[in-house]
Amino acid sequence: GELMGYRQGFTIYDADDTKKAVLAAMGRCDIDEKLLPVKSVINAIGRAKDKLCTPEEFELEIGNDFRLKQISRVYTQYQMLLRESNAMDFDDLIMQTVLLLKNHEDVRNEYQQRYKYVSVDEFQDTNVAQLQLTVLLTGFHRNLMVVGDDDQSIYKFRGATIENILTFDKTFPEAKTIKLEQNYRSTQTILDAANEVISHNSGRKGKTLWTAGDKGDKIYLKQLETQDFEAREIISVV
């Protein structure tokens, strides 16, 4: 932490601490929460940090958008408050680590040597900062395994970027891809339906799910008025 300007024993802010600090930063900027909801500001700052975007870089990127200009002012004051309190939020834990490894070759070499193998699960849900951390940690041994499903990427609203998995073979051209297409849970009828639905997804590598199990019963659709009726219908069928 000292190399990044933090004193020893820095604090890690949880969600409540972060909210209080952002509200304090908004107060410094004389911005009313009724005009700019604190939750929106927290989300915007979090997404910026997911992209490794500092307050200075954020200010340069936003153009003439009035709302983003207000958030930029808050972001700057918020980071100042964190520094004054010797604290990091959850997003800083990755962002500051990435900046540390990028800017300090001796530290980067130490951790690259320490971790000979790295494995990342749910890779389709990683963001820019997490990918950069992975790349930096594996820069020496290049022993990396990621597991993910491009058809299950649902966390874009939380900063995840599907490009991480779609362009993995460009980031690591020596990588070997193994498709896990055999399914052990569902019947072939269910898998045929799933294959048809996901075939229309944009931005995907493509795969065909199959099973050595039963063909299974036909799928039928029944529309019910409420979730209670739905629950009763499922119970009656099962």
Side-chain angles (χ1 to χ4, degrees):
E2 293 90 337
L3 292 174
M4 299 303 295
Y6 293 87
R7 300 186 301 279
Q8 201 168 26
F10 60 83
T11 303
I12 301 171
Y13 275 8
D14 62 16
D16 288 336
D17 296 325
T18 295
K19 182 177 180 181
K20 290 175 184 175
V22 170
L23 283 170
M26 291 174 68
R28 284 187 176 186
C29 298
D30 198 24
I31 295 174
D32 191 335
E33 188 188 349
K34 294 178 182 177
L35 300 177
L36 189 63
V38 65
K39 186 176 180 181
S40 297
V41 178
I42 292 171
N43 287 339
I45 293 173
R47 297 298 75 79
K49 291 185 178 183
D50 287 343
K51 297 175 183 176
L52 301 173
C53 188
T54 64
E56 296 77 18
E57 291 167 337
F58 187 81
E59 185 179 5
L60 291 174
E61 288 182 3
I62 57 176
N64 294 318
D65 188 300
F66 177 76
R67 178 176 171 276
L68 290 179
K69 281 187 174 182
Q70 299 297 89
I71 292 175
S72 176
R73 291 172 58 212
V74 177
Y75 185 12
T76 299
Q77 290 298 321
Y78 172 63
Q79 285 305 114
M80 289 176 63
L81 278 166
L82 288 176
R83 291 284 184 174
E84 291 167 12
S85 302
N86 195 36
M88 296 189 197
D89 60 21
F90 287 140
D91 296 309
D92 278 328
L93 290 176
I94 293 182
M95 181 174 178
Q96 293 299 324
T97 301
V98 169
L99 295 176
L100 172 68
L101 296 176
K102 274 188 172 182
N103 297 328
H104 296 273
E105 185 179 1
D106 55 335
V107 179
R108 182 171 67 250
N109 289 339
E110 178 186 343
Y111 283 96
Q112 286 180 349
Q113 294 288 342
R114 180 181 298 188
Y115 299 113
K116 188 174 181 181
Y117 301 97
V118 176
S119 176
V120 183
D121 197 8
E122 302 292 357
F123 193 68
Q124 76 278 355
D125 295 328
T126 55
N127 57 41
V128 171
Q130 291 165 336
L131 175 63
Q132 282 299 307
L133 178 60
T134 304
V135 170
L136 287 164
L137 286 176
T138 57
F140 182 78
H141 293 292
R142 304 286 286 183
N143 292 324
L144 171 65
M145 181 184 76
V146 304
V147 183
D149 185 351
D150 48 338
D151 289 312
Q152 292 189 48
S153 179
I154 60 173
Y155 288 112
K156 184 176 181 180
F157 70 96
R158 278 169 44 182
T161 172
I162 187 65
E163 285 75 18
N164 285 359
I165 195 168
L166 295 180
T167 62
F168 183 79
D169 53 356
K170 293 184 175 65
T171 307
F172 294 90
E174 71 272 34
K176 180 180 180 181
T177 301
I178 301 171
K179 292 186 179 182
L180 304 177
E181 297 176 305
Q182 185 172 6
N183 185 287
Y184 299 91
R185 293 179 178 177
S186 305
T187 63
Q188 191 60 52
T189 299
I190 295 293
L191 296 178
D192 288 343
N195 284 326
E196 178 60 29
V197 170
I198 65 177
S199 68
H200 300 283
N201 289 353
S202 59
R204 65 190 298 261
K205 289 286 190 179
K207 57 184 170 293
T208 303
L209 305 175
W210 63 276
T211 180
D214 297 333
K215 176 72 174 174
D217 298 331
K218 288 184 178 181
I219 297 170
Y220 74 92
L221 177 66
K222 189 165 186 178
Q223 188 170 355
L224 299 157
E225 293 183 5
T226 69
Q227 61 183 11
D228 289 337
F229 287 142
E230 185 179 281
R232 289 193 182 98
E233 174 69 16
I234 292 170
I235 292 170
S236 69
V237 172
V238 175

